[in-house]
Amino acid sequence: MVFCFLRLGSATAPDRVAITALTLYALLPIIRNTAAGITGVDPAVREAARGMGMTARQVLFQVELPLSLSTVLAGIRVATVLTIGVATIAAAVGAGGLGEFIFRGLAMVNNQLILAGRNSRSRTRAAGRLLPQRARTPPAARAVTLR
C-alpha cells in the first residue's frame, strides 16, 4: 500500500481518488485480523513471557506477533482479494484499471472485450490468493510432528 502512495506524484486526480479509496478500504480487514490475532494469544503465554522478565514491547514483538502471524497474513490476503475485486469499479470514475475492458465491452456491446476484462481480473485475483501455505502456517504448528 505504501508503494501506491509513492506513485501518487505522477497520478491524475481520478487515479489519486481510486488509490486512496482502495487503500483505505484494504485497511479494515488487515487491522481487524491483526487485532483478532493479538487478542487471540493465550493469556498463559503472555503471563509466561512477563514471568520471564519481558517488557510489554518484547511481549508484543517476540510473543504475540509471531503467534498471530497466520491471522495477520490471512487479513492481508483478504484485503488483496477484496482490493482487486473493487479495483474493477475504478474504471467507472476514469481511473482505468482492470475494469476498463469490462466497461468498454458493455458500452460497445462487445462480449469479447467483456470476457477479456473478466479473464484478466480473474487471473489477477487468483494470483492474489496464492500466498504460500507455509507463510500461513505458524512456526509452532509446523514444528509439531505426528508419531
Side-chain angles (χ1 to χ4, degrees), residues 2 5 11 13 27 51 59 62 71-72 84 86 88 96 104 109 113 130-131:
V2 174
F5 283 116
L27 287 177
V59 170
Q62 294 179 7
T71 310
V72 173
I84 291 170
V86 175
T88 306
R104 282 185 191 173
V109 191
L113 269 178
L130 294 178
L131 275 179

Side-chain angles (χ1 to χ4, degrees), residues 10-88:
S10 64
T12 61
D15 291 343
R16 288 184 188 145
V17 171
I19 291 170
T20 304
L22 290 172
T23 303
L24 293 175
Y25 187 72
L27 287 177
L28 178 64
I30 295 172
I31 292 171
R32 183 185 301 158
N33 278 24
T34 302
I38 290 174
T39 58
V41 173
D42 189 14
V45 174
R46 284 191 194 112
E47 188 61 33
R50 286 191 198 105
M52 291 173 47
M54 289 187 175
T55 64
R57 184 182 197 124
Q58 288 175 325
V59 170
L60 175 66
F61 287 109
Q62 294 179 7
V63 176
E64 292 175 342
L65 283 179
L67 289 175
S68 65
L69 188 62
S70 61
T71 310
V72 173
L73 286 176
I76 293 171
R77 180 175 175 239
V78 167
T80 302
V81 172
L82 284 174
T83 302
I84 291 170
V86 175
T88 306

Side-chain angles (χ1 to χ4, degrees), residues 71-147:
T71 310
V72 173
L73 286 176
I76 293 171
R77 180 175 175 239
V78 167
T80 302
V81 172
L82 284 174
T83 302
I84 291 170
V86 175
T88 306
I89 303 170
V93 294
L98 299 172
E100 197 166 324
F101 289 122
I102 295 172
F103 285 114
R104 282 185 191 173
L106 288 172
M108 297 186 323
V109 191
N110 186 343
N111 290 336
Q112 292 173 340
L113 269 178
I114 295 171
L115 290 176
R118 181 196 62 124
N119 289 341
S120 66
R121 186 185 68 86
S122 297
R123 286 188 188 123
T124 308
R125 196 168 192 179
R129 290 185 192 156
L130 294 178
L131 275 179
Q133 179 64 32
R134 185 170 173 90
R136 293 191 308 235
T137 307
R142 278 185 264 147
V144 175
T145 58
L146 298 173
R147 294 181 191 212

